[in-house]
Amino acid sequence: MIPGKNESTLDAATEALRGGSISMPSKFEAIGFLSHAGTMGKITFTVPFRDVAERLTFDRLLARHDFDTESLTTPGQRDISDKHAEKIRDFLTTSERPYLGTLTIAIPEDQVKIEQLQQIANNVWLVKFIVPSTSDHPIVEDGQHRVKGLTDAWRTVMEDPSSEEYAEAREMLEKSSIEMTLLLEGEASVLSTIFVKMASTRPISPSLIAIMDSSAVQNRLGQQVTRKSRYLSDRTAYLGAKAAHKLAAAKGRKYDPLYPAAAVRSAAAAILGVGVRDRTPDQREDILHGIFEERGRREGRSQDQVIEAASTEIVAILDYAFTRVPGWKQMAANHLSAAEFKADYVHSAAAGLHVIANVIAAANVAGLDARHVVDELSKLPWRRDELREASRDGEKIFVHQLFEDTLVRTSFDVKTGKWKAGQAGATRGAYEEAIRKVIATLSRQSPELAHMQEQKVLSALGLVTAGRGRPRKK
């Protein structure tokens, strides 16, 4: 409330709610704050969650339309993703803080009756408004997935009001409310443009989501691995370069980024047994849920306890690898910066981290000592300049000793007159082939590691399909 105006404003609102001068059959009515966005009026108000879920829904009082190029008069939106709405439903039925932000709806100004109760600031009024029963349904301008998600969430928790399963969720939602903004606008082209602009805000980077969002088990795992690791905690990137440099300086540190947080999260999941089966984030989440549930049952632990233990195990082997694998070893000893490492070593990109993580995963699935496998990994040619002579179309060329066309691709530098290795591109097919090459190489060099090449191991990690057998040698 505005200082000095609390009492009179409250009195005006109370009188309006008791039956002010507006009295007519209505779709809905409320007390709100009238303000403007340029020439467009807007009213912001709060509605209990129950009322939104039971009345302000697509099958009751709100309308939405998939955008139709042939319609010039009907505001349209993008189509609804059921998967996204389901995520919102799941969040609302499990969170102690079911906050959704402001839902935005729109209706032509001439279809709303507004009574100004009191001016409370410059160009801001406390008003009572009513949408008469003769008016069109308001259009959902921003929040169509949230409307569907909250409607489904309410139906889920109220399907059996006496059940204990959703007792806590019912309590949380019944005490909650939702902010809504009613745009006093009816022109279809204006609303479509606003919809696009509101839906086209700068997306949050996957790495920042990995660090900030604790609702997904893959993020919680990645967060713990990042924070616990001696060598990754200060080298994991999740902010833009400018912000990251500023934050590091404020802490008296130097920003020396190595891998993005999303890559660390994926590597941690791979080591835990996901391998390369995570074609989508949702798939990774489902696989990890299964891994945590099975381990929780086996060990009699909660999910939080399992994630805590798993992250500690992952950090132990990754930090060990940092002291052994060339390039990482020099960084661990502070003899090499991240920038120098990226210039000289093939595993400096996220794809290289995934290769090492998946080889460790193969060792775990095969029942081998992961530290011994890391020791053998350290003997491989990880530097970019470790090339060998080869022939192409009768001409002498140079290629990388192990990672040609997977992690690196060599080319002839006319300026220097030398062959050099650059990145081959971070495609899934390329680094999966690199994983197979490393496993095959380790199996040849150290026969005791040959179990990593068994079909059951490669199949468990998604490196071969069931029944395909050992990958064909190239």
Side-chain angles (χ1 to χ4, degrees):
M1 303 292 272
I2 304 298
K5 298 186 178 181
N6 295 22
E7 194 171 312
S8 60
T9 302
L10 183 60
D11 288 345
T14 303
E15 180 61 28
L17 286 171
R18 286 173 178 168
S21 59
I22 298 177
S23 179
M24 62 182 70
S26 65
K27 292 180 184 290
F28 69 93
E29 58 186 276
I31 297 293
F33 296 100
L34 171 65
S35 58
H36 287 82
T39 60
M40 180 177 65
K42 54 188 176 72
I43 303 174
T44 301
F45 56 104
T46 300
V47 185
F49 190 99
R50 175 191 287 269
D51 288 352
V52 178
E54 293 183 347
R55 299 183 66 239
L56 291 168
T57 62
F58 296 143
D59 53 2
R60 294 291 301 275
L61 294 178
L62 298 182
R64 68 163 302 281
H65 307 280
D66 290 337
F67 189 82
D68 184 353
T69 57
E70 296 180 358
S71 176
L72 300 177
T73 58
T74 303
Q77 296 112 338
R78 61 184 169 187
D79 56 314
I80 284 185
S81 165
D82 290 336
K83 192 75 173 179
H84 185 52
E86 287 170 8
K87 288 182 179 180
I88 296 172
R89 179 203 63 195
D90 293 344
F91 163 69
L92 292 173
T93 55
T94 56
S95 175
E96 294 182 348
R97 299 171 180 82
Y99 178 68
L100 286 179
T102 301
L103 304 177
T104 305
I105 60 179
I107 195 171
E109 186 171 5
D110 60 9
Q111 295 193 34
V112 184
K113 303 300 181 182
I114 302 173
E115 177 185 350
Q116 292 188 5
L117 303 177
Q118 184 171 341
Q119 184 171 1
I120 60 174
N122 187 30
N123 292 315
V124 180
W125 294 265
L126 180 70
V127 300
K128 179 182 179 181
F129 72 95
I130 182 172
V131 178
S133 59
T134 55
S135 298
D136 294 335
H137 286 347
I139 298 291
V140 177
E141 180 66 5
D142 181 58
Q144 56 179 356
H145 286 92
R146 285 171 283 164
V147 170
K148 187 177 188 315
L150 69 87
T151 303
D152 293 344
W154 185 253
R155 289 171 179 168
T156 298
V157 302
M158 294 302 294
E159 184 176 5
D160 181 2
S162 63
S163 73
E164 289 297 320
E165 181 181 2
Y166 292 109
E168 185 175 354
R170 278 194 300 274
E171 180 185 355
M172 293 299 105
L173 295 182
E174 285 177 339
K175 70 169 59 174
S176 300
S177 59
I178 297 174
E179 293 74 46
M180 300 189 74
T181 294
L182 177 66
L183 304 181
L184 303 175
E185 178 62 61
E187 188 173 336
S189 61
V190 172
L191 292 174
S192 293
T193 298
I194 291 174
F195 175 80
V196 171
K197 296 301 181 184
M198 293 179 75
S200 299
T201 54
R202 183 183 178 189
I204 302 175
S205 74
S207 288
L208 187 55
I209 292 174
I211 289 295
M212 291 181 65
D213 179 18
S214 296
S215 65
V217 293
Q218 59 185 297
N219 292 345
R220 286 155 60 193
L221 177 67
Q223 290 161 8
Q224 292 204 34
V225 168
T226 298
R227 290 166 181 159
K228 291 178 180 179
S229 173
R230 176 182 177 184
Y231 302 109
L232 288 173
S233 58
D234 289 333
R235 293 188 174 98
T236 300
Y238 57 91
L239 295 174
K242 184 177 180 180
H245 278 289
K246 184 177 180 180
L247 180 62
K251 296 179 178 179
R253 303 173 186 168
K254 181 181 178 181
Y255 180 55
D256 196 27
L258 181 54
Y259 300 113
V264 174
R265 174 188 63 187
S266 298
I271 292 174
L272 207 57
V274 173
V276 297
R277 294 179 290 161
D278 52 346
R279 301 288 165 169
T280 67
D282 288 340
Q283 200 171 21
R284 182 189 308 128
E285 187 75 0
D286 291 343
I287 295 171
L288 279 176
H289 265 295
I291 291 172
F292 291 142
E293 286 177 4
E294 192 279 331
R295 181 167 173 174
R297 285 193 299 267
R298 188 175 70 247
E299 299 177 359
R301 297 186 181 189
S302 68
Q303 186 182 80
D304 286 342
Q305 291 172 327
V306 171
I307 294 175
E308 173 76 24
S311 64
T312 299
E313 295 162 7
I314 292 168
V315 167
I317 190 60
L318 279 180
D319 277 3
Y320 178 76
F322 246 90
T323 66
R324 304 290 294 173
V325 178
W328 283 357
K329 180 179 180 180
Q330 286 79 0
M331 290 186 71
N334 292 320
H335 295 157
L336 200 67
S337 68
E340 292 169 331
F341 172 68
K342 290 176 181 178
D344 294 339
Y345 290 87
V346 302
H347 53 307
S348 58
L353 173 62
H354 290 326
V355 170
I356 293 174
N358 277 279
V359 173
I360 292 172
N364 291 335
V365 174
L368 300 171
D369 181 356
R371 290 200 170 203
H372 176 50
V373 171
V374 167
D375 290 340
E376 295 303 310
L377 274 172
S378 67
K379 301 175 183 178
L380 300 182
W382 294 102
R383 287 187 60 90
R384 291 186 189 278
D385 57 7
E386 294 188 74
L387 308 181
R388 62 179 174 82
E389 186 178 319
S391 177
R392 179 191 298 155
D393 298 330
E395 294 186 7
K396 184 174 74 172
I397 64 171
F398 284 87
V399 297
H400 194 271
Q401 290 185 21
L402 182 59
F403 295 109
E404 186 68 24
D405 290 328
T406 57
L407 298 183
V408 298
R409 182 170 293 120
T410 54
S411 61
F412 184 74
D413 188 341
V414 177
K415 292 183 179 180
T416 62
K418 297 179 180 179
W419 289 85
K420 66 176 185 178
Q423 289 189 12
T427 64
R428 175 177 286 269
Y431 71 72
E432 285 184 8
E433 183 60 27
I435 297 167
R436 296 186 192 100
K437 278 189 173 183
V438 170
I439 290 175
T441 301
L442 294 181
S443 297
R444 286 196 306 270
Q445 293 180 355
S446 304
E448 71 275 12
L449 303 183
H451 292 304
M452 289 195 296
Q453 269 205 299
E454 293 177 358
Q455 182 195 359
K456 63 180 182 181
V457 174
L458 300 179
S459 178
L461 298 179
L463 289 166
V464 298
T465 57
R468 174 183 162 188
R470 186 175 295 184
R472 190 172 51 203
K473 292 184 178 180
K474 291 191 176 182

